[in-house]
Amino acid sequence: MIVMKFGGSSVANGERIKHVASIIQSYSGQKPLVVLSAMGDTTDHLLEAAEKAVNGVVDVANIETLHKKTTEELGISFDSVECLLGELKTLLTGISMLKELTKRTRDYLVSFGERLSVRMMSSYLNQQGVEAKFYDAWDAGFISDSNFMSAELLEEVWENIPKAFSDYKSDIQKAIPIVTGFIAKDKNGYITTLGRGGSDLTATMLGAALGVEEVQTWKDVDGILTTDPRIVSKARTVPEVTYEEASELAYFGAQVLHPRSMVPCRRTGTPVRVKNSYNLDFPGSIIVEKHASEVDAVRAITAVKHVTLIDIVSTRMMGASGFLAHIFNQFLKWNISIDVIATSEVSVSVTVNTKNCLDGLLQDIQRVAATDCKTGKAIVTVICDTARSSSIIADGFSALAKQNINVQMISKGASKVNISMICDDLEADTVVKTLHQAYFEN
């Protein structure tokens, strides 16, 4: 048994749904269990409809037109989604009357995207002679807490999922399950959403709970790449990475599975494979607990732009055990997360997301230390084996020196798989290209 997850761009229209259906059919011998996201921009359209409803206007034209056109392209009955669209209109009417949108109602609203998607896919597969059955996530055993918009799955999910698919696993049921990603229900029966990486989490949770051979997440690239191919045309596929390396890649900007989605698979050791939906025969990249054999020192390079660098300097830090605690408490007070940090005896440098409003934070810190805040910075991260950090840093910095680039800060992650450096936004692409050439092309 395998789990196959397809994102919104993979099912954005009728043509793409047909293509995904053909992929599912080609894997039918491996007992696939399929997880789907909403079609294309459907979630955005649902939120736009909610905004209009709050202002008293009920309008589902964009959503209805897309799904009606898609059913026509697929040659399936509109009845498969018409009932849900009617339920959506009723919900929006209620929002328009109350003129408010709570988090609970928002989760109910955005759930329609995934629910519509799985119904169309299962209808099309059945029409093509491939037995399929759609599941809303709660029918598949997904129970969460009531933290709407960012719910966490409950421990009982581990028991619920095998029960929900026992007939399929034992060959009593032949129909391929098509499951909604991203959503669940709490114990009160209210629909919740799983937040960032929610569809990936649905897939990995299913795979881990069922003990499948592997979880496959299908994209439009040949797996995990050594860097962004839009920056470096010679970027190549990384055949194997660990869960830890994949988490760091995702955290620092690469389009890999969200770190929280890898938690279930890490618990059971279930491998995750990233494959290209337009290059079926290519093996892609596999994410595992540990490397099976010796690998290169550097795995990949990624970059996050538009960050802010804050330098905090105070002689009070000299021998003062509580100084850093005081500084970090200010970040806690203002709910601002730190991305990268480097410290010395009298200073600490951190990076934060530029979108944060920093005025209050800086005022609080300036009561005990001098601060220098610089915007327009980028974090370039090398995912690597930091046990070989001396040679990695030597090779990288030698190449950067030839380009007259001086990084402004460096930090070796506690995870032992990343080295991050700070440069100007305008230098970021050049830094990535230079490091890629040093590590992979020479």
Side-chain angles (χ1 to χ4, degrees):
M1 184 183 289
I2 60 173
V3 172
M4 308 175 74
K5 180 260 174 180
F6 297 90
S9 60
S10 295
V11 290
N13 53 45
E15 182 182 351
R16 293 198 174 189
I17 289 174
K18 289 179 181 179
H19 180 64
V20 168
S22 70
I23 297 173
I24 295 169
Q25 188 170 4
S26 70
Y27 278 84
S28 58
Q30 292 181 251
K31 291 187 71 67
L33 192 153
V34 180
V35 175
L36 294 185
S37 296
M39 287 184 67
D41 297 326
T42 298
T43 301
D44 289 337
H45 291 324
L46 285 165
L47 292 172
E48 288 168 6
E51 191 175 328
K52 288 182 180 178
V54 170
N55 293 314
V57 178
V58 176
D59 180 9
V60 295
N62 285 337
I63 301 153
E64 188 168 23
T65 300
L66 171 64
H67 289 82
K68 189 166 187 177
K69 179 182 177 183
T70 303
T71 58
E72 291 170 356
E73 291 173 354
L74 297 175
I76 61 175
S77 171
F78 186 59
D79 293 345
S80 60
V81 296
E82 190 171 23
C83 182
L84 268 186
L85 289 170
E87 184 183 336
L88 172 61
K89 289 177 186 175
T90 301
L91 172 61
L92 290 170
T93 300
I95 294 171
S96 70
M97 294 173 69
L98 294 172
K99 292 188 167 47
E100 68 174 7
L101 181 68
T102 64
K103 287 185 177 182
R104 191 178 79 186
T105 305
R106 182 190 183 279
D107 278 3
Y108 178 22
L109 175 81
V110 298
S111 74
F112 283 91
E114 276 71 15
R115 293 160 69 196
L116 289 163
S117 182
V118 298
R119 283 158 173 78
M120 289 195 300
M121 178 62 78
S122 62
S123 292
Y124 180 70
L125 283 169
N126 281 307
Q127 184 213 69
Q128 296 299 302
V130 180
E131 285 188 72
K133 177 182 178 182
F134 72 81
Y135 288 76
D136 292 325
W138 42 90
D139 298 323
F142 280 76
I143 303 295
S144 74
D145 61 21
S146 301
N147 184 22
F148 298 102
M149 294 176 60
S150 189
E152 294 291 341
L153 296 174
L154 301 182
E155 187 67 18
E156 62 198 72
V157 168
W158 288 92
E159 296 179 2
N160 294 346
I161 290 172
K163 290 177 183 176
F165 296 105
S166 59
D167 285 353
Y168 185 60
K169 198 170 184 180
S170 61
D171 283 334
I172 296 173
Q173 175 192 315
K174 301 294 184 183
I176 296 172
I178 313 294
V179 185
T180 56
F182 184 58
I183 60 178
K185 271 187 178 179
D186 68 7
K187 288 200 168 186
N188 297 315
Y190 295 119
I191 295 175
T192 61
T193 59
L194 303 179
R196 291 187 62 192
S199 290
D200 288 333
L201 178 58
T202 303
T204 56
M205 187 67 244
L206 285 167
L210 291 167
V212 302
E213 180 183 339
E214 66 181 26
V215 175
Q216 299 176 350
T217 178
W218 290 77
K219 300 181 179 292
D220 57 1
V221 292
D222 284 337
I224 298 170
L225 303 181
T226 48
T227 196
D228 189 336
R230 295 169 297 183
I231 298 175
V232 179
S233 60
K234 293 183 179 180
R236 59 178 188 246
T237 304
V238 184
E240 178 186 273
V241 299
T242 65
Y243 295 119
E244 197 168 37
E245 290 168 343
S247 294
E248 295 288 343
L249 275 166
Y251 185 78
F252 287 107
Q255 296 298 310
V256 191
L257 278 75
H258 192 276
R260 71 194 285 258
S261 70
M262 283 181 254
V263 173
C265 285
R266 294 197 71 168
R267 177 166 161 175
T268 59
T270 306
V272 180
R273 189 177 296 276
V274 182
K275 285 183 66 70
N276 188 345
S277 59
Y278 295 97
N279 190 4
L280 271 61
D281 295 330
F282 193 77
S285 303
I286 192 162
I287 307 172
V288 293
E289 183 61 40
K290 292 182 179 179
H291 290 296
S293 58
E294 187 71 18
V295 295
D296 293 337
V298 177
R299 315 298 294 132
I301 304 162
T302 188
V304 178
K305 297 181 181 178
H306 312 306
V307 301
T308 297
L309 175 63
I310 305 174
D311 293 320
I312 304 166
V313 183
S314 175
T315 54
R316 297 187 194 186
M317 286 185 69
M318 187 76 72
S321 59
F323 184 82
L324 282 177
H326 176 77
I327 295 297
F328 293 140
N329 276 334
Q330 307 315 309
F331 284 88
L332 175 63
K333 172 184 173 182
W334 292 97
N335 195 30
I336 294 173
S337 298
I338 294 171
D339 297 319
V340 176
I341 182 170
T343 62
S344 72
E345 188 66 22
V346 295
S347 67
V348 56
S349 297
V350 301
T351 64
V352 298
N353 192 316
T354 300
K355 293 179 181 178
N356 291 311
C357 179
L358 302 175
D359 293 345
L361 169 70
L362 295 175
Q363 286 175 14
D364 282 349
I365 295 176
Q366 285 164 358
R367 294 190 179 101
V368 296
T371 63
D372 185 12
C373 189
K374 303 167 186 171
T375 58
K377 304 299 176 184
I379 305 170
V380 177
T381 299
V382 180
I383 305 301
C384 60
D385 177 5
T386 60
R388 294 186 259 180
S389 60
S390 294
S391 62
I392 293 168
I393 292 172
D395 291 344
F397 277 45
S398 175
L400 292 173
K402 291 176 183 176
Q403 298 291 329
N404 294 317
I405 294 174
N406 293 301
V407 299
Q408 298 159 35
M409 172 179 151
I410 184 168
S411 175
K412 189 166 84 167
S415 64
K416 310 301 181 189
V417 297
N418 84 73
I419 298 171
S420 294
M421 56 197 78
I422 310 303
C423 63
D424 290 334
D425 266 343
L426 296 176
E427 294 177 319
D429 287 358
T430 302
V431 170
V432 170
K433 290 176 184 176
T434 302
L435 293 176
H436 193 275
Q437 187 172 42
Y439 295 135
F440 298 106
E441 298 171 40
N442 291 340

